[in-house]
Coordinates of all heavy atoms in Angstrom, one line a residue:
M1 N 81.9 105.5 102.2 CA 82.8 104.4 102.5 C 82.8 103.5 101.3 O 81.9 103.4 100.5 CB 82.2 103.6 103.7 CG 82.2 104.3 105.1 SD 83.8 103.9 105.7 CE 83.7 102.2 106.3
G2 N 84.1 102.9 101.1 CA 84.1 101.8 100.1 C 85.1 102.2 99.0 O 86.3 102.5 99.2
V3 N 84.6 101.9 97.8 CA 85.5 102.0 96.6 C 86.1 103.3 96.4 O 85.4 104.4 96.5 CB 84.6 101.5 95.4 CG1 85.3 101.7 94.1 CG2 84.0 100.3 95.5
L4 N 87.4 103.4 96.2 CA 88.1 104.6 96.0 C 88.1 105.0 94.5 O 88.2 106.1 94.2 CB 89.4 104.5 96.5 CG 89.7 104.3 98.0 CD1 91.2 104.2 98.3 CD2 89.0 105.3 98.8
A5 N 88.1 104.0 93.6 CA 88.1 104.3 92.1 C 87.1 105.2 91.8 O 85.9 105.1 92.0 CB 88.0 102.9 91.5
G6 N 87.5 106.3 91.0 CA 86.6 107.3 90.5 C 86.1 108.2 91.5 O 85.3 109.2 91.1
R7 N 86.5 108.1 92.7 CA 86.2 109.2 93.7 C 87.0 110.6 93.4 O 88.1 110.4 93.0 CB 86.6 108.7 95.1 CG 85.7 107.8 95.7 CD 84.9 108.3 96.8 NE 84.7 107.1 97.5 CZ 85.1 106.9 98.7 NH1 85.5 107.7 99.4 NH2 84.8 105.7 99.2
P8 N 86.4 111.6 93.7 CA 87.1 112.9 93.5 C 88.4 112.9 94.2 O 88.4 112.5 95.4 CB 86.2 113.9 93.9 CG 84.8 113.4 93.9 CD 85.0 111.9 94.2
E9 N 89.5 113.4 93.6 CA 90.8 113.5 94.2 C 90.8 114.2 95.5 O 91.3 113.8 96.6 CB 91.7 114.2 93.2 CG 93.1 114.4 93.8 CD 94.0 115.2 93.0 OE1 93.7 115.2 91.7 OE2 95.0 115.6 93.4
A10 N 90.0 115.4 95.6 CA 90.0 116.1 96.9 C 89.4 115.3 98.0 O 89.6 115.6 99.2 CB 89.2 117.4 96.6
E11 N 88.4 114.5 97.6 CA 87.7 113.6 98.7 C 88.7 112.7 99.2 O 88.7 112.5 100.5 CB 86.4 113.0 98.1 CG 85.4 112.7 98.9 CD 84.2 112.2 98.1 OE1 83.6 112.9 97.3 OE2 83.9 110.9 98.2
I12 N 89.4 112.0 98.4 CA 90.4 111.0 99.0 C 91.5 111.7 99.7 O 91.9 111.3 100.8 CB 91.0 110.2 97.7 CG1 89.9 109.5 97.0 CG2 92.0 109.3 98.3 CD1 90.2 108.9 95.7
V13 N 92.0 112.9 99.3 CA 93.0 113.5 100.1 C 92.5 113.9 101.3 O 93.1 113.8 102.4 CB 93.5 114.9 99.3 CG1 94.4 115.8 100.1 CG2 94.3 114.5 98.1
G14 N 91.2 114.4 101.3 CA 90.5 114.8 102.6 C 90.4 113.6 103.6 O 90.7 113.9 104.8
A15 N 90.1 112.5 103.0 CA 90.0 111.3 103.9 C 91.4 111.0 104.6 O 91.5 110.7 105.8 CB 89.5 110.1 103.2
L16 N 92.4 111.0 103.8 CA 93.8 110.6 104.2 C 94.2 111.7 105.2 O 94.8 111.4 106.2 CB 94.8 110.6 103.0 CG 94.5 109.6 101.9 CD1 95.5 109.7 100.8 CD2 94.6 108.1 102.5
E17 N 94.0 112.9 105.0 CA 94.3 114.0 106.0 C 93.5 113.8 107.4 O 94.2 114.0 108.3 CB 94.0 115.4 105.3 CG 94.4 116.6 106.1 CD 95.9 116.6 106.4 OE1 96.7 115.9 105.6 OE2 96.4 117.4 107.3
A18 N 92.2 113.4 107.2 CA 91.5 113.2 108.4 C 92.0 112.0 109.2 O 92.1 112.1 110.5 CB 90.0 112.9 108.1
F19 N 92.5 110.9 108.5 CA 93.2 109.9 109.2 C 94.5 110.4 109.9 O 94.7 110.0 111.0 CB 93.5 108.8 108.3 CG 92.3 107.9 107.8 CD1 92.1 107.6 106.5 CD2 91.3 107.4 108.7 CE1 91.1 107.0 106.0 CE2 90.2 106.8 108.2 CZ 90.1 106.4 106.9
R20 N 95.1 111.2 109.2 CA 96.4 111.7 109.7 C 96.3 112.6 111.0 O 96.9 112.4 111.9 CB 97.1 112.6 108.7 CG 98.5 113.2 109.1 CD 99.1 114.1 108.1 NE 99.0 113.7 106.8 CZ 99.8 112.8 106.2 NH1 100.8 112.3 107.0 NH2 99.7 112.3 105.0
L21 N 95.2 113.4 110.9 CA 94.9 114.3 112.1 C 94.2 113.6 113.2 O 94.1 114.1 114.3 CB 94.0 115.5 111.7 CG 94.6 116.4 110.6 CD1 93.6 117.3 110.2 CD2 95.8 117.2 111.3
G22 N 93.6 112.3 112.9 CA 93.0 111.7 114.0 C 91.5 112.1 114.1 O 90.8 111.7 115.0
S23 N 91.1 113.0 113.3 CA 89.7 113.4 113.3 C 88.7 112.5 112.7 O 87.6 112.5 112.9 CB 89.5 114.7 112.6 OG 89.9 114.7 111.2
R24 N 89.2 111.5 112.0 CA 88.4 110.4 111.5 C 88.9 109.1 112.1 O 90.0 108.8 112.1 CB 88.4 110.3 109.9 CG 87.7 109.2 109.3 CD 87.6 109.2 107.9 NE 86.9 108.0 107.4 CZ 86.6 107.8 106.2 NH1 86.8 108.8 105.3 NH2 86.0 106.8 105.8
P25 N 87.9 108.4 112.7 CA 88.3 107.1 113.5 C 88.8 106.1 112.5 O 88.4 105.9 111.3 CB 86.9 106.5 114.0 CG 86.0 107.7 113.9 CD 86.5 108.6 112.8
A26 N 89.8 105.4 113.0 CA 90.5 104.4 112.1 C 91.2 103.3 112.9 O 91.5 103.5 114.1 CB 91.6 105.1 111.3
T27 N 91.3 102.1 112.2 CA 91.9 101.0 113.0 C 93.4 100.9 112.5 O 94.3 100.7 113.2 CB 91.3 99.7 112.7 OG1 91.1 99.5 111.3 CG2 89.8 99.7 113.4
I28 N 93.5 101.2 111.1 CA 94.8 100.9 110.5 C 95.3 102.1 109.6 O 96.4 102.5 109.4 CB 94.9 99.7 109.6 CG1 96.3 99.3 109.2 CG2 93.9 99.7 108.5 CD1 96.5 97.9 108.8
M29 N 94.3 102.9 109.1 CA 94.6 104.0 108.1 C 95.3 105.0 108.7 O 96.2 105.7 108.2 CB 93.4 104.5 107.4 CG 92.8 103.5 106.4 SD 94.0 102.9 105.2 CE 94.7 104.5 104.4
N30 N 95.2 105.3 110.1 CA 95.9 106.3 110.8 C 97.3 105.9 110.8 O 98.2 106.9 110.8 CB 95.5 106.4 112.3 CG 95.3 105.1 113.0 OD1 95.1 104.1 112.4 ND2 95.4 105.2 114.2
R31 N 97.8 104.6 110.8 CA 99.2 104.2 110.8 C 99.7 104.2 109.4 O 100.8 104.6 109.2 CB 99.2 102.9 111.5 CG 99.0 102.9 112.9 CD 99.0 101.6 113.5 NE 97.7 100.9 113.3 CZ 97.5 99.6 113.6 NH1 98.5 98.8 114.0 NH2 96.3 99.1 113.4
I32 N 98.9 103.8 108.4 CA 99.3 103.8 107.0 C 99.6 105.2 106.4 O 100.7 105.4 105.9 CB 98.2 103.1 106.1 CG1 98.3 101.6 106.4 CG2 98.5 103.3 104.6 CD1 97.2 100.8 105.8
V33 N 98.9 106.1 106.8 CA 99.1 107.6 106.2 C 100.3 108.2 106.7 O 100.9 109.1 106.1 CB 97.9 108.5 106.4 CG1 96.7 108.1 105.7 CG2 97.7 108.8 107.8
K34 N 100.8 107.7 107.8 CA 102.1 108.3 108.3 C 103.3 107.9 107.4 O 104.3 108.6 107.4 CB 102.4 107.6 109.6 CG 101.6 108.1 110.8 CD 102.3 107.6 112.2 CE 101.3 108.0 113.3 NZ 101.5 107.2 114.4
G35 N 103.0 107.0 106.5 CA 104.1 106.7 105.4 C 104.0 107.6 104.2 O 104.8 107.5 103.4
F36 N 102.9 108.5 104.1 CA 102.9 109.3 102.9 C 103.1 110.7 103.3 O 102.5 111.2 104.2 CB 101.4 109.3 102.3 CG 100.8 107.8 102.0 CD1 99.5 107.6 102.1 CD2 101.6 106.8 101.7 CE1 98.9 106.3 101.9 CE2 101.0 105.5 101.4 CZ 99.7 105.2 101.5
D37 N 103.9 111.5 102.5 CA 103.9 112.8 102.6 C 102.8 113.4 101.9 O 102.0 112.7 101.2 CB 105.4 113.5 102.3 CG 105.8 113.1 100.8 OD1 104.9 113.0 100.0 OD2 107.0 113.2 100.6
A38 N 102.6 114.7 101.9 CA 101.5 115.5 101.2 C 101.6 115.2 99.7 O 100.5 114.9 99.1 CB 101.6 117.0 101.5
Q39 N 102.7 115.2 99.1 CA 102.9 115.0 97.7 C 102.5 113.6 97.4 O 101.7 113.5 96.3 CB 104.3 115.2 97.3 CG 104.5 115.4 95.7 CD 106.0 115.5 95.4 OE1 106.9 115.7 96.4 NE2 106.3 115.4 94.2
E40 N 102.8 112.7 98.1 CA 102.5 111.3 97.8 C 101.0 111.1 97.9 O 100.3 110.3 97.3 CB 103.2 110.3 98.6 CG 104.6 110.2 98.2 CD 105.6 109.6 99.3 OE1 105.2 109.6 100.6 OE2 106.7 109.1 99.0
S41 N 100.2 111.7 99.1 CA 98.8 111.6 99.2 C 98.1 112.1 98.0 O 97.2 111.5 97.5 CB 98.5 112.2 100.4 OG 98.9 111.7 101.6
H42 N 98.6 113.2 97.4 CA 98.0 113.8 96.2 C 98.1 112.8 95.1 O 97.2 112.7 94.3 CB 98.5 115.2 96.0 CG 97.8 116.2 96.9 ND1 98.3 116.7 98.1 CD2 96.7 116.9 96.5 CE1 97.5 117.6 98.5 NE2 96.5 117.8 97.7
A43 N 99.3 112.3 94.9 CA 99.6 111.5 93.7 C 98.6 110.2 93.9 O 98.2 109.8 92.9 CB 101.1 111.1 93.7
I44 N 98.7 109.6 95.0 CA 97.8 108.4 95.2 C 96.3 108.7 94.9 O 95.6 108.0 94.2 CB 98.0 108.0 96.6 CG1 99.3 107.3 96.8 CG2 96.9 106.9 97.0 CD1 99.7 107.1 98.4
A45 N 95.8 109.9 95.5 CA 94.4 110.3 95.3 C 94.2 110.6 93.8 O 93.1 110.1 93.3 CB 94.1 111.4 96.1
A46 N 95.0 111.2 93.1 CA 94.8 111.5 91.7 C 94.8 110.2 90.9 O 93.9 110.0 90.0 CB 95.9 112.3 91.2
W47 N 95.6 109.2 91.3 CA 95.6 108.0 90.7 C 94.1 107.3 90.8 O 93.7 106.8 89.9 CB 96.7 107.0 91.0 CG 96.8 105.8 90.2 CD1 97.5 105.6 89.0 CD2 96.2 104.6 90.5 NE1 97.2 104.4 88.6 CE2 96.4 103.7 89.5 CE3 95.4 104.0 91.6 CZ2 96.0 102.3 89.5 CZ3 95.0 102.8 91.6 CH2 95.2 101.9 90.5
F48 N 93.8 107.1 92.0 CA 92.5 106.5 92.2 C 91.3 107.2 91.6 O 90.5 106.6 91.0 CB 92.2 106.3 93.8 CG 92.8 105.1 94.4 CD1 93.9 105.3 95.2 CD2 92.3 103.9 94.2 CE1 94.6 104.1 95.8 CE2 92.9 102.7 94.9 CZ 94.1 102.9 95.6
A49 N 91.4 108.6 91.6 CA 90.3 109.3 91.0 C 90.2 109.0 89.5 O 89.0 109.0 88.9 CB 90.6 110.7 91.2
E50 N 91.3 108.7 88.9 CA 91.3 108.4 87.4 C 90.8 106.9 87.1 O 90.5 106.7 85.9 CB 92.7 108.5 86.9 CG 93.1 109.9 86.5 CD 92.1 110.6 85.6 OE1 91.8 110.0 84.6 OE2 91.7 111.7 85.9
Q51 N 90.8 106.1 88.0 CA 90.4 104.7 87.8 C 88.9 104.5 87.8 O 88.2 105.0 88.7 CB 91.0 103.7 88.9 CG 92.4 104.0 89.1 CD 93.4 103.9 88.0 OE1 93.1 103.0 87.1 NE2 94.1 104.9 87.6
G52 N 88.4 103.9 86.7 CA 87.1 103.4 86.7 C 86.1 104.5 87.0 O 85.3 104.3 87.9
K53 N 86.2 105.6 86.4 CA 85.4 106.8 86.8 C 83.9 106.5 86.7 O 83.5 105.7 85.7 CB 85.6 107.9 85.8 CG 87.0 108.8 86.1 CD 87.0 110.1 85.5 CE 88.0 110.9 86.1 NZ 88.3 112.0 85.3
R54 N 83.2 106.8 87.7 CA 81.7 106.5 87.8 C 80.9 107.7 87.7 O 81.3 108.8 87.8 CB 81.5 105.8 89.2 CG 82.1 104.4 89.4 CD 81.8 104.0 90.8 NE 82.7 104.7 91.7 CZ 82.4 104.8 93.0 NH1 81.5 104.1 93.6 NH2 83.1 105.5 93.8
Ligands
HEM1 C1 97.7 103.2 99.0 C2 97.3 102.6 100.2 C3 95.9 103.1 100.7 C4 95.1 104.1 100.5 C5 95.3 105.3 99.5 C6 93.9 103.9 101.4 C7 93.0 104.8 101.4 C8 91.8 104.8 102.2 C9 90.8 105.6 102.3 C10 90.6 106.8 101.4 C11 89.8 105.1 103.3 C12 88.5 105.7 103.5 C13 87.6 104.9 102.7 C14 86.1 105.5 102.5 O1 85.9 106.7 102.9 O2 85.3 104.8 101.9 C15 90.4 104.0 103.8 C16 89.8 103.2 104.7 C17 90.3 102.0 105.2 N1 91.4 101.4 104.8 FE1 92.8 102.2 103.5 N2 94.0 102.8 102.1 C18 95.3 102.2 101.6 C19 95.7 101.1 102.2 C20 95.1 100.1 103.0 C21 95.6 98.9 103.6 C22 97.0 98.1 103.1 C23 94.7 98.4 104.5 C24 94.8 97.1 105.2 C25 95.8 96.3 105.4 C26 93.6 99.3 104.6 C27 92.5 99.2 105.4 C28 91.6 100.2 105.5 C29 90.6 100.0 106.5 C30 90.4 99.0 107.6 C31 89.7 101.3 106.4 C32 88.6 101.7 107.3 C33 89.3 102.8 108.4 C34 90.1 102.1 109.4 O3 89.6 101.3 110.2 O4 91.3 102.4 109.5 N3 93.9 100.5 103.7 N4 91.6 103.7 103.1

């Protein structure tokens, strides 16, 4: 949980997919991910993965 910067891309994509499928409990992310198609989810995750690598 928490900071996305520097997280592996696949982990972030996985979290977004879990929110989309409803397999991960959410208050708002389940609604936010409806706005991203698969290509956008990958692009967003790749961007976060590149930030402030830990
Ligand atoms: C590009 C936009 C966004 C992306 C890529 C994103 C991504 C994520 C990810 C990957 C998690 C899981 C975090 C973890 O495992 O540590 C998460 C959780 C969460 N995010 Fe976002 N987020 C975005 C925008 C937002 C916005 C705009 C809000 C609030 C206005 C928000 C509120 C939350 C909350 C409350 C959680 C906990 C799960 C839930 O209750 O829905 N996120 N987000």
